[in-house]
């Protein structure tokens, strides 16, 4: 049992209070330590991904309690991939924040950033549903702080909205967990996967209620229609680099859907059947449409990018809703791509905002901005990626999704919607780009634009780096899809996951039955008093 | 007992949702508090209602009468989180009210445009 699995959680968890307690007056030192910790987590994530790439899963039992009783962390290909994706994104965002000085506009940015990373990594590694709830709360609490970083009336009001929405979501999460615990008597994902198959027929109605409630909770995180309302207001009003980091938060919802509905409520399970896919597919299709139409309707850049993030979540969830190995592999490729595409766009929003003075990101005529050529080139590349035009990874991602949908019943709807909305996205981005970058040059120059260009190169390095990753994803699409297909295959054989997590002896000792009074006829659970006893 | 707990959860949830839909910060905060109380009682009930029984497995497993201890641990976590979050949302709502002089939760497009002007 390697202790490295817990390192991505422990390292930010220690770094954040360290920054608050000892470095709170020195932004320079905060930057050094925060960046060093994030880079270290990135290195650990690389190591974990290399360890998981072979296909072996590793289980970390917290406090050495065996699986159904204690909390476990599980490292498989998917969780390793998610941790690596988050770490890479965090490094890019952090460089941008340091370069633009966003961390000076409020207090405790770096501490909140580290707590945010801790929650994200925890949610991706845990193998326990209640622990997933706790890590969701950790990442949400940190995100509340980051969302209102820098203050301002409208950011605060949008923050209240965001917090209230997510508190309601958390309550729903608890209702779902309570229902599932009441039916199955466990919260360990692998153990629950075993028990849902053995439920008496009378209890399956309650199980279906729990499954759908849980799907709704994850849909709130993933900004799926009809619970996407929180996203545009939040992302458009949050500091743009924070919104870039939030690009991974919607993916955590998608990750949780993938994990729970390929492990516990699989399409093979008689009690739920294709329930999840049946609900998810239409919602995802409508999400694609809403997102892409929103791009056309947006009147400011941050809102436009927010809607494109919703649209890309829709495309991603269409692929997930297929619940086939091909669909999952396509979804994973598109997930990596859309994370970086949305993050790059939000970083560009910040570059634009900083260069247009009072006009900010509004899509109206204004004087040309400083360094407009480079920003325009970045916007062009990121917009191409997000809309799904060749040569960047968005094209390959959408191609994989379309290809995976070929066998599905709704193939023509999926193809028509994705292709038509891609056109909408192209139109929307082209209109925004020409308003921002071309029209200013056609206007009569009133006076020499006085904006002093923010003189640092670091934000350009960060944005360029994120774009370069998408170029690399295109060049190395072969090896990458190979890894993703292996990941999907691993996900769709949940028996392996269950075998690794659950030790059959421990379960047998506990009587193996549902919880409650009925089943414990004399068989005393031996595992409860473990080691420490006498 | 079952009727009392079930109707308490139902009434608190209904009242909480109604208040949350009021779109003013104070009713929404009260609604959230009610909703989290409802879910806490619900979590307790998921361990089955065993009144006046010890929450220990070891010596009482044979007789088959004990309270499931796990939901109590879950509820403790949920209470702590809900309490902290309620405090946070109160402070946040107060900050938003003091700086914007309105306690409405919803924002509109004109707000968003005004935001840009406010920043300049």
């Amino acid at each position: 049992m390697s202790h490295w699995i817990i390192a991505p959680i422990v390292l930010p968890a220690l770094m954040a209070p360290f920054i608050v307690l000892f470095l709170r007056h020195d932004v320079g030192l905060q930057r050094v330590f925060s960046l060093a910790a994030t880079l270290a987590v990135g290195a650990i994530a690389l190591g974990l991904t290399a360890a998981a790439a072979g296909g072996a899963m590793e289980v970390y039992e917290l406090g050495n309690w065996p699986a159904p009783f204690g909390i476990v962390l599980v490292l498989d290909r998917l969780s390793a991939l998610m941790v690596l994706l988050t770490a890479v994104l965090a490094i890019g965002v952090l460089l941008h924040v340091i370069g633009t000085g966003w961390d000076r506009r409020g207090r405790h940015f770096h501490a909140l950033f580290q707590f945010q990373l801790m929650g994200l990594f925890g949610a991706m590694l845990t193998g326990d549903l209640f622990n997933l709830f706790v890590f969701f709360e950790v990442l949400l609490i940190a995100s509340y702080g980051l969302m209102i970083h820098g203050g301002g009336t409208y950011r605060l009001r949008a923050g209240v909205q965001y917090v209230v929405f997510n508190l309601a979501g958390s309550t729903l999460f608890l209702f779902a967990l309570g229902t599932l615990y009441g039916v199955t008597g466990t919260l360990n994902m692998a153990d629950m996967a075993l028990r849902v198959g053995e439920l008496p027929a009378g209890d399956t109605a309650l199980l279906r209620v729990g499954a759908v409630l849980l799907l709704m909770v994850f849909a709130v995180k993933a900004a799926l229609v009809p619970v996407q309302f929180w996203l545009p207001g939040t992302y458009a009003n949050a500091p743009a680099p924070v919104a870039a980091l939030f690009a991974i938060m919607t993916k955590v919802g998608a990750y949780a859907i993938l994990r729970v509905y390929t492990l516990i409520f699989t399409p093979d399970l008689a009690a739920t059947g294709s329930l999840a896919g049946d609900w998810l597919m239409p919602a995802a299709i409508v999400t694609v449409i809403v997102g892409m139409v929103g791009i056309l309707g947006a009147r400011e850049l941050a809102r436009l990018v927010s809607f494109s993030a919703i649209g890309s979540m829709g495309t991603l969830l269409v692929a997930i809703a297929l619940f086939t190995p091909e669909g999952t592999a396509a979804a994973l490729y598109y997930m990596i791509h859309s994370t970086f595409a949305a993050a790059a766009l939000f970083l560009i929003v910040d570059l634009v905002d900083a260069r247009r003075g009072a006009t900010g990101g509004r899509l109206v005529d204004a004087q040309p901005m400083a360094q407009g050529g480079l920003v325009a080139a970045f916007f062009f590349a990121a917009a191409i990626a997000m809309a799904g035009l060749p040569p960047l990874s968005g094209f390959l991602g959408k191609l994989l999704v379309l290809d995976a949908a070929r066998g599905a019943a709704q193939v023509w709807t999926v193809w028509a919607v994705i292709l038509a909305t891609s056109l909408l996205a192209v139109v929307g981005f082209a209109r925004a780009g020409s308003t921002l970058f071309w029209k200013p040059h056609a206007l009569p120059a009133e006076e020499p634009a006085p904006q002093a260009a923010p003189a640092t190169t670091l934000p350009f390095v960060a944005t360029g780096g994120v774009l370069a990753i998408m170029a690399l994803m295109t060049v190395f699409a072969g090896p990458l899809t190979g890894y993703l297909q292996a990941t999907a295959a691993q996900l769709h054989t949940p028996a392996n996951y269950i075998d690794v997590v659950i030790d059959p002896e421990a379960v047998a000792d506990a009587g193996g039955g549902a919880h409650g009074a009925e089943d414990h006829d004399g068989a005393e659970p031996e595992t409860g008093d473990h080691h420490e006893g006498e | 007992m079952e009727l009392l707990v079930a109707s308490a959860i139902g009434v608190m949830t209904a009242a909480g949702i109604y208040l949350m839909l009021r779109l003013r910060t104070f009713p929404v905060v009260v609604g959230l508090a009610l909703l989290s109380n409802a879910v806490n009682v619900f979590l307790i009930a998921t361990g089955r209602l065993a009144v006046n029984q010890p929450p220990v497995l070891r010596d009482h497993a044979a007789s088959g009468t004990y309270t499931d201890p796990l939901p109590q641990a879950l509820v403790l976590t949920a209470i702590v989180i809900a309490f902290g979050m309620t405090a946070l949302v109160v402070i946040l709502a107060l900050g938003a009210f003091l700086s914007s002089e309105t306690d409405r939760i919803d924002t509109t497009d004109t707000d968003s445009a005004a935001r840009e002007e406010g920043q300049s």
Side-chain angles (χ1 to χ4, degrees):
Chain A
M1 184 164 81
S2 149
H3 286 285
W4 285 109
I5 299 177
I6 203 174
I9 303 172
V10 170
L11 186 63
L14 293 178
M15 189 51 70
F18 177 75
I19 289 174
V20 173
L21 292 176
F22 300 110
L23 308 176
R24 62 182 177 280
H25 298 302
D26 190 339
V27 175
L29 275 178
Q30 282 181 19
R31 287 174 173 178
V32 171
F33 276 85
S34 186
L35 191 60
T38 314
L39 287 173
V41 166
I44 293 169
L46 264 182
L48 290 179
T49 312
M57 292 185 215
E58 278 198 81
V59 178
Y60 186 84
E61 294 170 338
L62 289 159
N64 218 12
W65 291 83
F69 307 105
I71 289 171
V72 290
L73 304 179
V74 183
L75 180 77
D76 64 351
R77 287 197 182 109
L78 178 61
S79 49
L81 177 77
M82 293 300 294
V83 169
L84 183 62
L85 173 64
T86 311
V88 172
L89 178 72
I91 293 170
V93 170
L94 200 57
L95 285 177
H96 184 95
V97 166
I98 292 173
T100 51
W102 261 104
D103 48 356
R104 288 184 191 278
R105 300 194 199 179
R107 294 172 65 80
H108 303 308
F109 181 92
H110 291 289
L112 288 167
F113 190 85
Q114 293 297 324
F115 274 130
Q116 172 90 67
L117 290 184
M118 174 202 166
L120 287 166
F121 292 141
M124 290 156 184
L125 285 169
T126 186
D128 183 283
L129 277 177
F130 198 81
N131 200 228
L132 181 69
F133 165 76
V134 173
F135 277 119
F136 265 29
E137 288 304 309
V138 171
L139 75 89
L140 284 174
I141 292 167
S143 79
Y144 301 152
L146 287 176
M147 151 85 211
I148 56 167
H149 180 80
T153 303
Y154 291 97
R155 189 167 293 152
L156 272 177
R157 289 192 62 189
V160 173
Q161 217 176 39
Y162 173 63
V163 175
V164 168
F165 207 99
N166 276 296
L167 287 184
S170 301
T171 317
L172 202 60
F173 202 163
L174 283 175
F175 272 118
L177 289 183
T179 312
L180 290 176
Y181 179 75
V183 183
T184 63
T186 184
L187 288 166
N188 181 290
M189 292 187 202
D191 197 26
M192 193 180 282
L194 279 178
R195 293 199 188 180
V196 288
E198 301 159 359
L199 272 187
D203 288 349
T204 52
L206 211 51
L207 185 75
R208 281 197 292 276
V209 170
V212 173
L213 272 179
L214 208 55
L215 188 65
M216 270 193 67
V217 175
F218 297 148
V220 170
K221 310 287 174 217
L224 195 66
V225 170
V227 279
Q228 92 291 6
F229 297 106
W230 61 274
L231 193 141
T234 305
Y235 282 28
N237 286 303
V242 171
L245 180 68
F246 283 6
I248 194 72
M249 296 229 309
T250 44
K251 272 65 179 185
V252 176
Y255 161 81
I257 292 177
L258 256 185
R259 175 67 79 202
V260 170
Y261 294 89
T262 59
L263 176 62
I264 303 174
F265 309 108
T266 58
D268 303 332
L269 183 67
T272 51
S274 61
L275 188 68
D278 290 348
W279 282 101
L280 208 52
M281 182 58 95
I285 291 174
V286 178
T287 309
V288 177
I289 298 173
V290 167
M292 297 307 186
V293 170
I295 292 183
L296 280 186
R299 281 179 295 172
E300 71 182 22
L301 191 58
R303 204 163 264 270
L304 181 142
V305 176
S306 306
F307 275 106
S308 75
I310 292 181
S312 71
M313 280 314 290
T315 313
L316 167 58
L317 287 162
V318 163
I320 288 180
L322 298 169
F323 288 113
T324 59
E326 301 81 46
T328 306
L332 292 173
Y333 187 91
Y334 196 78
M335 179 185 318
I336 306 173
H337 151 75
S338 71
T339 306
F340 287 123
L345 278 169
F346 275 115
L347 295 181
I348 292 163
V349 167
D350 191 48
L351 295 177
V352 170
D353 268 355
R355 280 166 180 74
R356 291 182 93 210
T359 320
R362 272 184 296 160
L363 297 175
V364 294
D365 297 336
Q367 291 299 305
M369 68 184 84
Q371 295 153 322
L374 191 52
V375 179
F378 278 175
F379 181 79
F380 185 62
I384 281 182
M386 187 51 114
L389 294 180
L392 284 175
S393 50
F395 173 70
L396 287 176
K398 282 197 175 166
L399 202 61
L400 286 171
V401 173
L402 293 180
D403 186 47
R406 261 188 313 162
Q410 308 92 334
V411 52
W412 294 115
T413 324
V414 169
W415 279 44
V417 166
I418 290 187
L419 292 175
T421 54
S422 296
L423 182 65
L424 287 186
V426 171
V427 173
F429 276 115
R431 198 199 54 165
S434 57
T435 309
L436 287 174
F437 302 110
W438 275 354
K439 278 191 189 166
H441 296 288
L443 291 175
E446 291 160 3
E447 58 201 67
Q451 313 107 316
T456 165
T457 53
L458 205 49
F460 285 106
V461 173
T463 315
V466 174
L467 290 172
I469 291 171
M470 281 192 283
L472 287 178
M473 277 180 70
T474 316
V475 176
F476 295 103
L480 182 59
T481 44
Y483 179 88
L484 297 177
Q485 274 157 2
T487 310
Q490 198 179 39
L491 272 177
H492 285 273
T493 44
N496 295 344
Y497 185 100
I498 297 168
D499 286 346
V500 173
V501 175
I502 301 289
D503 177 11
E505 281 177 31
V507 180
D509 278 350
H515 84 103
E518 319 88 58
D519 278 26
H520 291 272
D521 40 20
E524 236 179 60
E526 294 290 350
T527 26
D529 56 343
H530 209 64
H531 305 320
E532 295 94 334
E534 283 81 42
Chain B
M1 184 70 184
E2 278 82 2
L3 182 70
L4 186 66
V5 173
S7 52
I9 296 172
V11 169
M12 279 198 286
T13 309
I17 291 175
Y18 174 76
L19 286 174
M20 279 201 64
L21 297 176
R22 294 304 297 266
L23 296 180
R24 298 257 163 167
T25 45
F26 186 71
V28 166
V29 170
V30 175
L32 275 174
L34 274 178
L35 208 54
S36 59
N37 279 329
V39 80
N40 290 343
V41 178
F42 179 74
L43 279 182
I44 287 276
T46 60
R48 305 295 186 270
L49 296 169
V51 184
N52 285 340
Q53 300 298 332
V56 208
L57 281 165
R58 192 173 169 76
D59 296 329
H60 299 268
S63 65
T65 52
Y66 59 87
T67 300
D68 189 347
L70 190 64
Q72 308 193 357
L74 303 186
V75 163
L76 210 56
T77 316
I79 289 174
V80 172
I81 293 177
F83 179 72
M85 285 297 92
T86 309
L88 179 95
V89 79
V90 166
I91 293 294
L92 209 56
L94 189 65
F97 173 66
L98 290 179
S99 65
S100 67
E101 294 184 348
T102 169
D103 65 344
R104 288 189 70 85
I105 293 275
D106 53 334
T107 52
T108 60
D109 265 3
T110 44
D111 286 344
S112 191
R115 177 179 73 89
E116 298 295 341
E117 283 155 16
Q119 270 186 353
S120 60

